[in-house]
Amino acid sequence: MWAKIIFVSIFGISQVLGAYVFPKDFIFGAATASFQIEGAWNESGKSESCWDHIAHYTNEIDDHSNGDVACDSYHKLDEDIKVLKELGVDSYRFSISWPRILPEGFSNKVNPDGIRYYNELIDKLLANDITPLVTIYHWDHPQSLQLLGGWTNPRMVEYFADYARVAFEHFGDRVKQWATFNEPQQFCREKIWGEAPSLGSVALDAVAPYLCAHTLIRAHAKAYHIYKNEFANQKGKLGIVLNLPWTEPLTNTTKDIVATNRDLEFQFGIYAHPIFTKDGDFPKLVKERVANLSKLQSFKKSRLPEFTEEDVKEIRGTADFLGINHYSTSLTSDASDEIDLFTPSINNDRAVKSTIDPSWPASEIFWLYDVPWGLYKALMYVKNYTNNHPVYITENGFCEEAIDDQGRVHYYQGYLQSLSDAISDGANIVAYYAWSLLDNFEWHRGYTKRFGLYHVNFTDPSRPRTARSSAKWLKNFIHDVKSNNL
Ligand code: PNW
């Protein structure tokens, strides 16, 4: 089927008639994250991360597994490079494990073996013509810092900035694309949103998510200025990765339309608005709503901290690109009549209900459906929201276990078509990374849910990687786009 596609080149844009359009220098990649793949959890000077701690000491992981070995990528980086090469990607998005390079959390003590491991990975990628996109923080901060309050501690701004500086110092001569944070939506609300039932504590449900947002946005901005001021000679790009699931109003009533906009502002705008709009602040809607509800709930001031004028100046415009992780779509309806507004929680502030259309093809994880037009809508929304700032799609993928994973092939076909349509309609998309290169530790789902283009056998000590049908499909797809773009 691919051989039949006809490409023509118009104004430097290579176009596939009736099918896919990608700019000439478009980047295709695959993504992973340190905790999900590396293993070697306590080797060569690495300390315990907050996720090691969750997996070792709580009952929160579905299969009671942990990241002690995972895909063993710490010992198998040659195998990871081999499959990346086989896929034919231009780029690899991976993350650095904070406790592997700064075991105590602080920059006073750098672990030489941690630096060695990432140096080796970066050098081997470059030797294979694969450019790294490095996520500085993909959820696994040192447990020592969790004991100091994690992201609710405002001092994390400095600790993170110091950590980022170490990364720029050691790797920035070769890494030219950096993402500070992956999906604050998830780590600021891990216990509150979707993954686990509410903890029923005002501190964790109603206050912590806002402290976290306030801290991490300032941490991001500080890292940006360090990079631009102290490492200007490295001439790289730095951005942040946000999760943007698409959502449509369930009905065309004003209530549902308003609720859908509110949902987007609470999920995406709260992180995007300060950095990507000229306001440099949280969305007005979010500020007003949390302030009003806080008052109603007898708080002395809003549960959402304010940025100072100085903060706003520091934060505004601090990203060369916006990374978007997009997976699925939902339908939103208003829930403000159904919730007790006197019970403080970010969920009640948001006041929406989500559902899906039962005709959408389901994946093997409860929140993920194959709805390709959702990606198109999300990208058009981002175009408008950020005044067409450059976007990298930093994750997109499907959950399916079979080696002959026709559901995932169907998903990638449709989503890459939507991506191409969005590009044709003017969206400024620079890169696309599939999630994930490998099956890996899927957080609270342990090893029970699989997102890999490559299957990993977790019961075999050598953790063999096997290409799924989707890996073969994507390889051909990238090859066809590249060969016709020449
Ligand atoms: C992302 N949701 O998390 C993370 O960046 C990855 O580490 C993870 O493995 C991947 O997506 C697949 O889950 C998400 O509920 C977790 O909409 C949950 C959602 C979205 C993304």
Side-chain angles (χ1 to χ4, degrees):
M1 164 187 181
W2 296 106
K4 285 195 203 136
I5 292 169
I6 308 159
F7 287 76
V8 292
S9 191
I10 309 169
F11 307 125
I13 301 233
S14 291
Q15 185 170 352
V16 187
L17 292 180
Y20 299 93
V21 177
F22 290 98
K24 267 189 184 313
D25 47 1
F26 194 80
I27 298 164
F28 286 100
T32 62
S34 49
F35 189 75
Q36 297 181 271
I37 65 162
E38 283 179 7
W41 80 278
N42 60 356
E43 267 180 58
S44 293
K46 178 183 168 292
S47 70
E48 183 189 45
S49 73
C50 58
W51 270 94
D52 288 313
H53 194 86
I54 292 170
H56 290 157
Y57 298 109
T58 74
N59 255 332
E60 289 179 24
I61 314 296
D62 288 353
D63 55 1
H64 305 288
S65 64
N66 53 50
D68 291 6
V69 180
C71 306
D72 205 17
S73 288
Y74 176 78
H75 296 112
K76 294 189 177 303
L77 63 87
D78 287 328
E79 289 183 38
D80 291 351
I81 306 244
K82 188 171 148 249
V83 293
L84 284 162
K85 194 78 191 153
E86 189 174 278
L87 267 180
V89 289
D90 308 299
S91 182
Y92 179 43
R93 172 176 178 241
F94 65 90
S95 76
I96 298 177
S97 158
W98 187 337
R100 195 180 290 291
I101 69 167
L102 302 181
E104 289 174 5
F106 310 106
S107 62
N108 61 324
K109 195 168 155 195
V110 179
N111 176 23
D113 188 66
I115 301 291
R116 191 249 347 128
Y117 172 67
Y118 295 110
N119 270 335
E120 217 169 287
L121 175 57
I122 293 162
D123 288 344
K124 287 187 172 175
L125 287 168
L126 292 173
N128 281 282
D129 286 327
I130 300 167
T131 53
L133 162 53
V134 177
T135 312
I136 301 172
Y137 178 83
H138 198 126
W139 310 356
D140 50 348
H141 57 266
Q143 177 63 13
S144 56
L145 299 183
Q146 187 59 29
L147 292 173
L148 296 181
W151 289 106
T152 62
N153 177 356
R155 283 278 179 130
M156 281 292 264
V157 174
E158 294 159 41
Y159 305 153
F160 176 78
D162 291 343
Y163 162 48
R165 184 187 283 107
V166 171
F168 303 145
E169 261 165 17
H170 287 273
F171 311 125
D173 55 335
R174 287 150 296 149
V175 173
K176 302 298 168 193
Q177 303 175 102
W178 295 97
T180 50
F181 289 102
N182 179 70
E183 293 192 9
Q185 288 93 325
Q186 297 297 326
F187 67 83
C188 283
R189 306 170 184 177
E190 185 62 44
K191 294 267 177 4
I192 303 127
W193 208 279
E195 288 277 21
S198 157
L199 295 182
S201 127
V202 169
L204 288 174
D205 291 346
V207 176
Y210 298 128
L211 296 182
C212 178
H214 185 251
T215 302
L216 85 90
I217 290 165
R218 288 180 302 128
H220 161 84
K222 197 168 168 79
Y224 178 88
H225 291 297
I226 287 173
Y227 188 56
K228 296 292 165 177
N229 296 331
E230 298 175 29
F231 300 93
N233 62 331
Q234 295 185 354
K235 298 194 172 55
K237 293 192 187 326
L238 183 140
I240 185 168
V241 172
L242 304 179
N243 180 17
L244 179 58
W246 187 241
T247 183
E248 289 279 314
L250 178 65
T251 70
N252 60 9
T253 57
T254 308
K255 273 170 77 164
D256 286 354
I257 293 168
V258 167
T260 304
N261 180 49
R262 187 167 66 238
D263 194 22
L264 287 164
E265 289 285 55
F266 267 87
Q267 296 227 55
F268 174 77
I270 195 167
Y271 309 105
H273 203 267
I275 299 170
F276 294 95
T277 74
K278 59 178 174 9
D279 287 3
D281 199 357
F282 291 124
K284 193 158 170 263
L285 183 157
V286 173
K287 289 204 305 185
E288 286 179 359
R289 190 165 173 96
V290 181
N292 290 339
L293 291 176
S294 299
K295 202 165 168 197
L296 187 75
Q297 295 153 353
S298 305
F299 284 87
K300 290 278 182 254
K301 52 185 193 182
S302 177
R303 288 179 277 105
L304 179 68
E306 279 179 20
F307 290 124
T308 62
E309 256 174 57
E310 207 138 296
D311 289 337
V312 165
K313 279 192 219 139
E314 276 270 309
I315 292 166
R316 189 166 40 206
T318 52
D320 299 314
F321 66 89
L322 167 59
I324 290 289
N325 291 353
H326 176 87
Y327 287 89
S328 194
T329 288
S330 66
L331 303 172
T332 295
S333 53
D334 180 49
S336 40
D337 292 344
E338 291 165 44
I339 55 167
D340 174 10
L341 292 175
F342 286 94
T343 304
S345 85
I346 188 170
N347 251 343
N348 287 356
D349 296 339
R350 176 172 161 246
V352 302
K353 275 188 304 197
S354 294
T355 183
I356 50 106
D357 179 332
S359 74
W360 296 341
S363 78
E364 292 168 5
I365 199 163
F366 68 93
W367 52 266
L368 206 175
Y369 292 81
D370 181 353
V371 195
W373 53 262
L375 175 62
Y376 177 87
K377 293 223 168 181
L379 293 177
M380 288 307 173
Y381 174 81
V382 166
K383 177 176 187 278
N384 187 39
Y385 202 99
T386 68
N387 198 15
N388 215 9
H389 207 68
V391 166
Y392 292 24
I393 295 176
T394 34
E395 288 178 27
N396 177 239
F398 198 66
C399 180
E400 184 179 8
E401 178 149 8
I403 297 281
D404 184 20
D405 54 342
Q406 290 305 321
R408 186 177 282 109
V409 170
H410 186 267
Y411 181 95
Y412 278 127
Q413 264 172 337
Y415 278 70
L416 285 161
Q417 180 68 65
S418 275
L419 167 62
S420 154
D421 293 347
I423 293 171
S424 302
D425 292 347
N428 190 2
I429 320 292
V430 176
Y432 173 90
Y433 293 82
W435 182 272
S436 179
L437 179 65
L438 305 170
D439 288 342
N440 56 47
F441 179 84
E442 178 51 29
W443 308 112
H444 286 107
R445 308 284 82 79
Y447 298 100
T448 66
K449 300 293 173 198
R450 292 170 182 259
F451 280 82
L453 291 160
Y454 283 79
H455 172 272
V456 176
N457 182 349
F458 292 106
T459 55
D460 183 326
S462 67
R463 300 294 192 273
R465 285 89 161 121
T466 307
R468 288 197 164 93
S469 298
S470 57
K472 296 175 185 163
W473 182 87
L474 193 62
K475 173 193 161 94
N476 286 337
F477 179 83
I478 294 171
H479 178 264
D480 284 344
V481 171
K482 300 271 161 212
S483 48
N484 286 289
N485 268 353
L486 287 175

